[in-house]
Amino acid sequence: MNALEIIGRKRDGREHSPEEIEFLLSGYLKGDIADYQMAAWLMAVCIRGMTRAETLALTQAMVRSGEVLDLSGIPGTKVDKHSTGGVGDKVTLIGPPLAAACGVKVPKLSGRALAHTGGTLDKLESVPGLTVDLDPDRFIRQVREVGIAVAAQSPHMVPADKALYALRDVTGTVPSVPLIASSVMSKKIAAGADAIVLDVKFGRGAFMPDVAAAEELATEMVLLGEGAGRRTVALVTAMDTPLGRSVGNALEVQEALDALAGKGDEELVKVSLVVAREMCWLAEVGNDPDDALRSGAGRAKFLEMLAAQGGQIERGLPVAPVQIPVAALSDGYVESIDALEVGLAGLELGVGRKKKEDPVDHAAGIVIQAPVGARVRAGETLAVVHARSDELARSVMPRLQKAWRLSAREVKRPPHVLARVDKDGVTRAG
Ligand code: URA
């Protein structure tokens, strides 16, 4: 067996054995297989695809590349939640605390901002004093005592994904169903929860272009989870328009706090409740997340989690020195807000990173004032840009003005959750 032979097999559309996949992955991690060879194989996978058996073998080989978290010390069913990445997606800051307030144990390992999409760790780190670097003992203790912890993955877990993801990011090989499915699910399996709720996004602001691709990815991930003995449910949700009213780290933490206080954007609250209900259902917890929202128990649980991780929310969230409105260029009803353009504007402002080593600006971002369906007149405010300088804020204005599409006719907000996928198949909403 050698790398050239394996690359050639995939180039010619043939199926790998689990041994071939193990050989390739372990060889790459040991440095015996070069970046250019792995990149050639990844591109062959993007073009030729992988069978379900190959994707499972790749996922298992990735899990074996590092440590697996043992959560058996936490009583009850542990439920994790994962989003494939979106713009303004702060559901993790709302749904899981609601589920935890209902009694679900939530051990959640999260990621950082990726391309134009936001990262939960960066959002949480906007809270003064908060740490996302919890060692396994502290992480497990917090889940046992508080019911929820959101932390960074240890570098010893799934090192294969770290190496492969960095290579995929710079070789145009991110958008591939088997590569995304194995990347996400290897991390979820290694993180040790008994059950997983996945939020698979599609549309302008997501990695999956359309609902069909998202359903395919969701199905693949559900079957990988179930194959590893984890009960797994996926929701397929739209990401053409940013979710909720804000894009930015501190801005999204504030929006989550507001939503948990009953003052949230309707769609954002709806999606968060659907996620929380699925988590409760998987954990066989009878309490209702709606009650946790109404009573404020979900908000109290979120605050308890922030405090347990050293967060001092009472010191206030960072605020950008410059806040400038973006004005509508004409009259009309907001038909759509391009999530990709808003995400890219956020990236320019420092919400995410252009290079791995870039710092993020926790205060920067965009607050939407005219959501889909709103009626605006020329000159009225579509959004407010929060930035560290006037020049930077003004530089993203044209992009944001382009992101808002106005229509002469009244517009209804489209539904956000389009399908639910479990081991028995896809159920379309409505
Ligand atoms: N998120 C991941 O963790 N991996 C991917 O490949 C894409 C999104």
Side-chain angles (χ1 to χ4, degrees):
M1 213 183 300
N2 66 57
L4 211 54
E5 224 179 331
I6 297 175
I7 297 164
R9 281 177 66 77
K10 190 42 70 187
R11 178 200 59 214
D12 298 340
R14 281 185 284 155
E15 186 175 6
H16 291 312
S17 67
E19 292 74 28
E20 285 173 342
I21 290 174
E22 177 66 42
F23 174 86
L24 198 68
L25 204 64
S26 58
Y28 180 58
L29 289 178
K30 279 188 289 193
D32 296 343
I33 290 170
D35 271 351
Y36 51 82
Q37 290 180 307
M38 202 62 185
W41 179 77
L42 289 167
M43 187 54 85
V45 169
C46 278
I47 294 166
R48 291 292 195 173
M50 273 183 146
T51 63
R52 199 154 275 159
E54 285 177 301
T55 311
L56 179 63
L58 177 60
T59 307
Q60 288 169 337
M62 286 168 77
V63 173
R64 279 196 303 272
S65 73
E67 291 171 2
V68 174
L69 207 52
D70 177 5
L71 301 178
S72 58
I74 306 168
T77 307
K78 280 76 70 182
V79 188
D80 198 349
K81 180 258 170 192
H82 183 85
S83 158
T84 54
V87 178
D89 177 9
K90 69 280 296 172
V91 170
T92 291
L93 307 181
I94 306 168
L98 288 171
C102 292
V104 181
K105 297 286 185 225
V106 188
K108 167 131 183 63
L109 297 181
S110 276
R112 296 198 176 273
L114 190 68
H116 61 278
T117 66
T120 298
L121 300 180
D122 298 315
K123 295 174 200 186
L124 286 174
E125 282 177 344
S126 68
V127 178
L130 186 137
T131 181
V132 293
D133 295 316
L134 308 180
D135 62 48
D137 286 346
R138 182 171 170 191
F139 181 72
I140 289 168
R141 194 172 351 109
Q142 186 177 319
V143 177
R144 210 186 302 122
E145 290 170 5
V146 178
I148 178 168
V150 180
Q153 184 181 301
S154 120
H156 307 296
M157 279 167 69
V158 205
D161 180 61
K162 204 163 185 258
L164 279 193
Y165 200 93
L167 191 59
R168 289 168 59 209
D169 208 18
V170 293
T171 54
T173 52
V174 171
S176 146
V177 165
L179 295 180
I180 297 177
S182 54
S183 162
V184 170
M185 293 311 292
S186 59
K187 287 178 285 201
K188 293 291 106 182
I189 292 164
D194 307 301
I196 304 156
V197 176
L198 300 164
D199 182 356
V200 181
K201 304 217 169 274
F202 71 91
R204 284 284 294 163
F207 293 119
M208 289 290 108
D210 52 43
V211 68
E215 283 181 4
E216 187 192 343
L217 176 62
T219 302
E220 207 64 50
M221 293 201 290
V222 165
L223 295 179
L224 284 174
E226 294 281 343
R230 318 296 164 93
R231 291 183 66 205
T232 309
V233 169
L235 300 165
V236 173
T237 65
M239 186 33 77
D240 286 311
T241 292
L243 186 54
R245 298 297 183 95
S246 59
V247 174
N249 296 303
L251 292 171
E252 292 191 44
V253 171
Q254 187 57 57
E255 187 178 6
L257 283 164
D258 293 344
L260 286 166
K263 293 175 285 186
D265 171 83
E266 198 185 324
E267 271 314 309
L268 172 65
V269 172
K270 223 188 262 176
V271 181
S272 302
L273 282 170
V274 173
V275 165
R277 277 188 218 114
E278 293 289 355
M279 295 178 78
C280 288
W281 180 74
L282 285 167
E284 297 177 33
V285 159
N287 298 330
D288 187 351
D290 285 86
D291 294 339
L293 178 63
R294 262 192 301 273
S295 69
R299 188 171 191 273
K301 187 55 73 183
F302 183 49
L303 288 171
E304 193 184 348
M305 180 194 98
L306 297 181
Q309 295 183 213
Q312 296 159 13
I313 195 84
E314 62 284 0
R315 281 171 52 200
L317 290 164
V319 177
V322 172
Q323 295 171 23
I324 298 183
V326 183
L329 297 176
S330 57
D331 296 356
Y333 294 91
V334 179
E335 186 176 22
S336 61
I337 305 169
D338 188 325
L340 178 61
E341 292 297 338
V342 176
L344 291 171
L347 192 60
E348 289 299 326
L349 295 170
V351 172
R353 299 171 185 78
K354 287 191 191 157
K355 290 196 302 295
K356 225 169 51 199
E357 55 283 359
D358 286 350
V360 297
D361 181 342
H362 286 120
I366 297 135
V367 176
I368 294 170
Q369 296 217 334
V372 171
R375 182 166 181 213
V376 291
R377 293 190 191 285
E380 282 181 358
T381 302
L382 298 175
V384 177
V385 177
H386 293 234
R388 62 178 170 274
S389 76
D390 195 71
E391 191 190 352
L392 191 56
R394 292 197 188 282
S395 73
V396 300
M397 294 278 173
R399 197 185 268 288
L400 288 172
Q401 267 158 339
K402 210 173 76 191
W404 261 256
R405 219 176 58 218
L406 301 185
S407 151
R409 265 178 285 145
E410 235 176 280
V411 176
K412 250 180 65 193
R413 282 179 87 174
H416 199 82
V417 181
L418 291 216
R420 177 185 189 275
V421 182
D422 64 16
K423 64 179 187 329
D424 299 319
V426 179
T427 311
R428 304 245 155 78

